[in-house]
Amino acid sequence: MGWASRHAVTWATSILLALAATATTTAPSGLVYSAASGHIVQRQRSPGSCHAAGAGLYERPDPHCTPGAVNPAVTQATIGATICRAGWTTTVRPTESITESEKLSSLDAYRDAGSASRFEYDHDVPLELGGAVNDPRNLWPEPDYPTRSGFYLNPKDHAEAALKRLVCDGAMSLARAQHLIASNWVTVYHQYG
């Protein structure tokens, strides 16, 4: 194969890969599937482009910047081998060496001031409910609120745990839990958490 032929094949392959990367498939929850790698730093939104909803303990991500995305490996049929298996999330959670620079860029996108240590780089749809591992549509800088005793108060964690229990007990579908947490975790917290 000559240089021109190899170049044409390489160019065509690049276009096909780019098209495949931009194609979106919608999950039963109505959220997009994303297999964005947890081993590669992902590009974040531009500075100042995102605005959190609510305030304080019940702050929620901007639904345009962080609508939520889900992991295609986690489906209703696979929950026994994935989210309902003890320790599974540690097998997919990105390392801090990947997420720290993403978190700083995400803080810029949300225009959050102050120390980065005051924020958790949080999965909108948590890994415990099959959230996308490292997609900017599923990660945002969630404020942490320390209590007087030094522990952090995070009602969203309670909402996530309640939904995971319901899914793993067969009382709620995975799709419904993913949709609820991405739509408004505060409502979930007041209803289930």
Side-chain angles (χ1 to χ4, degrees):
M1 185 183 298
W3 178 87
S5 295
R6 280 194 312 268
H7 183 69
V9 168
T10 302
W11 181 78
T13 302
S14 296
I15 288 179
L16 289 173
L17 289 173
L19 288 172
T22 59
T24 57
T25 306
T26 304
S29 61
L31 300 168
V32 297
Y33 281 123
S34 172
S37 174
H39 302 288
I40 299 169
V41 173
Q42 303 294 323
R43 185 174 177 187
Q44 303 299 302
R45 303 280 184 180
S46 59
S49 62
C50 303
H51 308 283
L57 261 168
Y58 299 107
E59 189 171 306
R60 300 180 321 276
D62 182 326
H64 300 291
C65 291
T66 316
V70 294
N71 184 341
V74 181
T75 65
Q76 190 68 45
T78 66
I79 61 173
T82 56
I83 65 168
C84 298
R85 192 183 91 217
W88 179 80
T89 59
T90 60
T91 68
V92 296
R93 187 176 305 280
T95 64
E96 191 175 326
S97 65
I98 296 294
T99 61
E100 190 60 24
S101 66
E102 293 175 349
K103 176 182 175 180
L104 295 174
S105 294
S106 190
L107 283 164
D108 285 344
Y110 273 87
R111 289 280 191 231
D112 285 322
S115 171
S117 64
R118 291 185 35 238
F119 296 87
E120 173 186 344
Y121 195 44
D122 186 60
H123 289 87
D124 187 26
V125 178
L127 298 178
E128 292 84 350
L129 290 174
V133 173
N134 195 27
D135 189 308
R137 294 172 293 186
N138 196 46
L139 285 154
W140 75 294
E142 178 186 30
D144 273 336
Y145 290 93
T147 63
R148 289 183 187 156
S149 61
F151 293 102
Y152 284 93
L153 180 61
N154 189 332
K156 183 174 183 276
D157 289 348
H158 294 284
E160 294 168 359
L163 289 180
K164 180 184 174 187
R165 252 188 325 277
L166 290 168
V167 169
C168 293
D169 289 347
M172 181 182 287
S173 73
L174 174 65
R176 177 154 172 72
Q178 290 173 335
H179 173 77
L180 287 172
I181 200 78
S183 296
N184 188 335
W185 72 262
V186 176
T187 301
V188 171
Y189 174 72
H190 290 302
Q191 186 170 0
Y192 299 103

